[in-house]
Amino acid sequence: MASEIVYRNCSLCEAHCGIAIEVDRTEERVVTIRGDADDAFSRGYLCPKAYALKGLHEDPDRLRRPVRRVGQEWQEIDWDEALDLVAAQLRQVRDTHGPSAIGSYAGNPTVHDFGAGLYLPALLKALGNHKRFTASSVDQLPKQLSSLLMYGRGLSIPVPDIDRTSYMLLLGANPVVSNGSLMTAPDMPGRIERLRARGGKLVVIDPRRSETARMADEHHFIRPGTDAWFLFSLVHVLFDEGLVRLGRVAPWVRGLDELRALAAKLPPEATARRTGIAPDTVRRLAREIAAADSAVCYGRIGTCTQQFGTLASWLVDCVTILTGNLDSPGGAMFPHPATATADEAPRPGKLPYGRWRSLRGLPEAFGELPAATLAEEIEGNGNERIRAFVTLAGNPVLSCQNGARLARALASLDFMVSIDIYINETTRFAHVILPPRSPLEQLNYELVFSRLAVRHVAKLSPPVFEPAPDTRDQWQILAELAGRVSRVPGDVPGDMIDELVFSTLCSKAVGPGTHCPDLGVAQARAAVGKQRGPARILDLLLRAGPYGDRFDEARPGLSLARLRAEPHGVDIGPLEPRVPQVLATESGAIELAPALIVGDVARLHAELEKDEPDDPERLLLIGRRQLRNNNSWMGNIHSLAKGRERCTLLVHSVDAERLGLVDGGRARVRSRVGELTVTVTVTGEIMPGVVSLPHGFGHDADGVRLRVAREHAGVNTNLLTDEAAIDVPSGNAVLNGIPVQVSPAP
Ligand code: SF4
């Protein structure tokens, strides 16, 4: 066997751990996948999902050729026929009903493929549609919105400087399992161990005693959806006890008095009834954070996917700011990635929020509408109805609220195309599926998640295998489709779209106000050579970025060539202070009391006044992340799917006894929108009054071609989540704190 080791990143989650893939070059197959001990960022750490890259590459259910649905059968067709057919259908819908009749949904894997991220805007622009949806609005949109309003950009999200902090207060997050989210940090278990070994403290607030909570110094249960009250009370104590210190960002902070006035109404004694956290505990935690040498408050999916997601996301940052820990080592800091251009461009004019609205009247944010409205946008009337739909690496039937209604809506479309590798719960409704290559056949770079990383690192992921003949990268599919649906008469070649994408980014990367102020587009274009596709763009962004060679090969800066020569990546160093340069608000300040957020506080007060329903069968449903699950995909990989049943309902023993539920027995779970039957796990790890189901299961639907996943089907928790429940400012889906009735099932 002629073997070779190829070093690259695992692209399955935000952590992008460095992996060493042993390849048998005789048979062109993966022998094994290990952690890369020399990786500049992850230093050999790996979770069990990385090995699934082999399973994914070899999966016989993974599509290799475009397919067209004829009745209930799928027929392989060639690329040109498939792309022409798709373009003709999309054009026809647009010509007949206008661009609003076309919708799109991009799933989470899109941001793990830099080519897809770079070329998707070209397709969306060519389609001319405003009905865009992504997984962001079932995830982190509230954090993006609070960051936009506080700092001026949706991706200016301060991340915990976990390797230097002395105190971490963590809400609604389970980074030991997720390895960070909006905090790219491989080996979170190791980072937490090191935090505690240097005398630091980790406090976890969560309705479940999660894997992270088990590693913490303290864990407190909190009732789902009440984080904003808890955080407001922390802020109250900081003001009340004179503990506010703004630290180095003090000259740029605005709205302190307004925040103080808002918090004055929410002392811990007023919120404990809702949160379940005793006032003494809140006061003690506030004093501890204020007294710590450095501290950071971090909230994640549980604080976003709930009724007050934007308020909670904002308050997380307020706690960090008020204790002098924003933009300070050991606090929350703004990464400055190697390819930074977007957060150094001139301040945007109109806010990317509320420029158009959904049929329900919910505002657009960052160019997209809330996924909570997707079904009704398809079911709507007249020309505003979505009739044709494009999905990209997304499975909204499993990921979005009320999956049953969404499935019915998708089935009613005039035309649907999916750019996807599987026939899954969503893509089974497509008329054509265009499958991109396996990740191991593609060049990659973590463009998005290096913007959220706890350390500055740059690494290239080269393809492991030559692409199979007659296959396409995701970016090629997007570019070719964009060319075919553009409104320029006749087909525009994919090459021309590539040229357009490059030119657009080049004009932002060089020239006045950039790191290359004296360089023009023509010079930069000449310097990066004749290569095509995302590699050329990456070379451009690296060389024009903050650590780039400025297109001078004699300078010791970053470039594509340099990354090709450093297979373990380049360690650039720890995070550094970036205020005020990073601020892009109209005032140039950090806005502690943005009007949109202040306006939502009344909703929080009103909810506090309400009496809770007196129903002994009523419990609150939350999600949970599992180490061997990856959102709604990867369920078809045997190495991940095998083992004991994981899609079970966690129920506290007190609730189980009261409701007559037994461990291993079955429960019927009902919500306003649906019901399901699931196996029960009785445990003390969940808060009384709360039940938990993981998402991403429910693989037993008709027409799904996922043979391994079907054997471990589980249930789709989004049959229970309610599309009427949203975080009002962002429109983000409420996926935690869903009222459900639970009873024994036969
Ligand atoms: S934590 Fe696991 S899934 Fe995520 S990048 Fe690392 S190895 Fe891959």
Side-chain angles (χ1 to χ4, degrees):
M1 176 181 89
S3 77
E4 183 193 357
I5 305 288
V6 181
Y7 298 98
R8 57 175 285 146
N9 284 335
C10 171
S11 56
L12 295 179
C13 89
E14 292 186 32
H16 59 265
C17 302
I19 51 177
I21 305 180
E22 185 182 352
V23 184
D24 174 351
R25 285 298 179 207
T26 312
E27 296 188 7
E28 284 297 292
R29 65 177 188 91
V30 173
V31 179
T32 192
I33 298 177
R34 297 194 181 88
D36 174 9
D38 297 319
D39 183 82
F41 195 22
S42 58
R43 304 284 173 204
Y45 176 79
L46 207 60
C47 90
K49 285 194 284 292
Y51 193 71
L53 282 167
K54 172 179 162 66
L56 180 66
H57 184 72
E58 296 169 357
D59 188 352
D61 287 341
R62 180 169 65 82
L63 298 173
R64 268 80 170 169
R65 296 275 180 282
V67 288
R68 174 176 55 189
R69 182 160 54 84
V70 181
Q72 295 309 308
E73 298 299 314
W74 291 94
Q75 294 178 349
E76 280 195 3
I77 52 176
D78 72 33
W79 277 99
D80 278 334
E81 186 185 355
L83 289 163
D84 287 346
L85 191 156
V86 170
Q89 292 286 335
L90 292 174
R91 278 174 134 148
Q92 191 192 345
V93 169
R94 187 178 60 198
D95 292 349
T96 311
H97 303 286
S100 292
I102 301 179
S104 61
Y105 179 92
N108 169 275
T110 309
V111 283
H112 293 283
D113 177 332
F114 87 126
L118 289 170
Y119 290 77
L120 178 61
L123 175 62
L124 296 177
K125 194 164 180 206
L127 289 171
N129 73 324
H130 276 59
K131 302 262 172 114
R132 302 171 187 170
F133 304 84
T134 78
S136 291
S137 58
V138 287
D139 194 336
Q140 82 290 345
L141 199 60
K143 191 71 193 178
Q144 285 182 254
L145 182 57
S146 70
S147 296
L148 172 73
L149 299 171
M150 295 177 81
Y151 314 117
R153 290 191 179 95
L155 274 181
S156 290
I157 297 173
V159 304
D161 186 16
I162 184 165
D163 294 339
R164 291 183 286 188
T165 197
S166 305
Y167 194 105
M168 191 165 184
L169 176 67
L170 193 149
L171 296 95
N174 189 7
V176 164
V177 164
S178 70
N179 275 295
S181 178
L182 302 184
M183 172 180 64
T184 295
D187 189 15
M188 274 303 294
R191 288 175 200 271
I192 290 173
E193 275 173 15
R194 291 192 287 278
L195 159 69
R196 297 190 63 210
R198 62 178 180 262
K201 182 168 182 177
L202 174 68
V203 178
V204 172
I205 310 289
D206 200 289
R208 184 171 78 89
R209 190 163 185 270
S210 65
E211 292 79 354
T212 304
R214 284 174 226 155
M215 288 191 72
D217 297 272
E218 277 181 42
H219 165 241
H220 301 278
F221 283 134
I222 185 168
R223 298 198 65 219
T226 66
D227 305 81
W229 285 306
F230 165 74
L231 289 160
F232 244 135
S233 290
L234 276 184
V235 170
H236 174 99
V237 176
L238 292 174
F239 280 117
D240 192 43
E241 300 193 5
L243 301 173
V244 172
R245 308 271 182 277
L246 297 178
R248 73 168 297 278
V249 300
W252 297 284
V253 170
R254 268 180 37 149
L256 196 63
D257 290 339
E258 283 166 272
L259 178 60
R260 185 201 318 265
L262 291 170
K265 298 173 189 158
L266 291 164
E269 292 73 16
T271 58
R273 177 176 67 89
R274 276 303 172 100
T275 63
I277 299 182
D280 284 354
T281 302
V282 179
R283 289 187 182 279
R284 176 174 58 77
L285 292 176
R287 290 173 199 137
E288 285 181 8
I289 301 167
D293 291 342
S294 61
V296 61
C297 183
Y298 167 74
R300 214 12 314 261
I301 192 131
T303 55
C304 285
T305 52
Q306 54 136 308
Q307 58 180 338
F308 298 110
T310 302
L311 288 180
S313 299
W314 161 66
L315 287 162
V316 161
D317 283 13
C318 287
V319 170
T320 300
I321 293 168
L322 295 178
T323 52
N325 287 297
L326 182 71
D327 204 38
S328 175
M333 304 189 78
F334 298 95
H336 198 192
T339 53
T341 50
D343 65 351
E344 291 164 319
R347 283 176 191 150
K350 199 166 169 46
L351 269 191
Y353 176 84
R355 293 165 296 179
W356 60 90
R357 290 187 175 261
S358 75
L359 296 179
R360 201 196 295 184
L362 300 185
E364 152 275 346
F366 307 103
E368 61 182 87
L369 292 174
T373 69
L374 177 51
E376 67 210 40
E377 293 284 338
I378 298 172
E379 295 162 350
N381 293 317
N383 272 348
E384 288 303 307
R385 172 162 93 79
I386 293 174
R387 295 163 187 269
F389 200 54
V390 182
T391 71
L392 176 66
N395 193 352
V397 170
L398 294 195
S399 301
C400 298
Q401 296 154 305
N402 198 349
R405 180 181 176 189
L406 198 45
R408 287 193 299 275
L410 293 174
S412 74
L413 286 162
D414 294 354
F415 180 73
M416 175 168 157
V417 55
S418 292
I419 301 169
D420 208 291
I421 55 174
Y422 284 127
I423 301 172
N424 63 27
E425 296 73 17
T426 295
T427 62
R428 66 190 157 127
F429 297 110
H431 296 85
V432 178
I433 304 178
L434 306 170
R437 292 170 179 145
S438 131
L440 298 187
E441 294 171 309
Q442 300 188 48
L443 181 85
N444 204 15
Y445 181 88
E446 292 292 341
L447 264 186
V448 175
F449 297 113
S450 56
R451 297 185 64 150
L452 299 162
V454 300
R455 192 171 176 89
H456 296 136
V457 177
K459 181 174 169 181
L460 189 70
S461 290
V464 178
F465 299 110
E466 281 295 317
D470 199 24
T471 56
R472 302 280 198 283
D473 276 358
Q474 205 142 224
W475 73 269
Q476 290 172 305
I477 300 171
L478 293 166
E480 289 192 42
L481 206 47
R484 281 169 163 87
V485 299
S486 81
R487 276 176 266 208
V488 178
D491 284 357
V492 176
D495 277 357
M496 210 182 275
I497 298 292
D498 178 34
E499 205 49 49
L500 205 67
V501 172
F502 176 82
S503 302
T504 305
L505 290 167
C506 194
S507 64
K508 293 178 182 168
V510 298
T514 71
H515 294 288
C516 304
D518 303 324
L519 208 70
V521 169
Q523 291 161 289
R525 180 189 294 277
V528 294
K530 295 196 185 333
Q531 54 194 328
R532 286 287 176 269
R536 175 170 62 154
I537 295 173
L538 179 60
D539 197 24
L540 166 81
L541 298 180
L542 287 168
R543 300 179 77 176
Y547 322 107
D549 71 0
R550 310 281 195 269
F551 304 93
D552 177 355
E553 283 164 23
R555 285 178 62 134
L558 292 181
S559 64
L560 188 62
R562 165 101 187 267
L563 293 196
R564 284 195 200 281
E566 306 239 19
H568 308 290
V570 178
D571 180 20
I572 300 162
L575 306 184
E576 290 181 355
R578 293 196 66 205
V579 170
Q581 290 79 12
V582 77
L583 301 177
T585 51
E586 208 177 330
S587 62
I590 296 166
E591 295 289 354
L592 272 188
L596 185 71
I597 287 178
V598 170
D600 198 37
V601 175
R603 192 168 61 94
L604 192 72
H605 286 307
E607 190 64 30
L608 188 63
E609 301 302 319
K610 286 186 190 167
D611 289 329
E612 296 201 52
D614 183 19
D615 176 356
E617 274 194 11
R618 181 180 183 270
L619 299 169
L620 295 176
L621 175 69
I622 62 168
R624 72 177 182 274
R625 182 137 177 179
Q626 296 174 322
L627 193 57
R628 290 198 282 131
N629 279 19
N630 199 1
N631 298 327
S632 60
W633 74 302
M634 303 294 290
N636 205 48
I637 310 303
H638 177 71
S639 64
L640 297 182
K642 68 182 180 184
R644 65 182 167 79
E645 183 181 11
R646 295 201 304 273
C647 184
T648 65
L649 185 78
L650 302 187
V651 184
H652 192 274
S653 50
V654 169
D655 294 319
E657 192 175 336
R658 178 168 49 84
L659 298 170
L661 300 168
V662 295
D663 191 53
R666 304 282 286 172
R668 182 166 169 243
V669 188
R670 285 169 292 142
S671 73
R672 186 189 79 86
V673 301
E675 68 173 71
L676 50 79
T677 302
V678 64
T679 303
V680 170
T681 298
V682 177
T683 173
E685 81 177 48
I686 193 91
M687 186 177 189
V690 180
V691 288
S692 168
L693 262 181
H695 103 275
F697 287 92
H699 301 296
D700 52 356
D702 289 343
V704 171
R705 195 191 290 176
L706 297 167
R707 282 169 287 188
V708 174
R710 186 176 285 279
E711 288 171 21
H712 310 269
V715 294
N716 178 4
T717 187
N718 280 314
L719 296 178
L720 300 169
T721 54
D722 184 345
E723 70 278 24
I726 54 162
D727 165 52
V728 171
S730 66
N732 202 78
V734 173
L735 304 176
N736 287 291
I738 314 296
V740 290
Q741 263 83 34
V742 182
S743 55

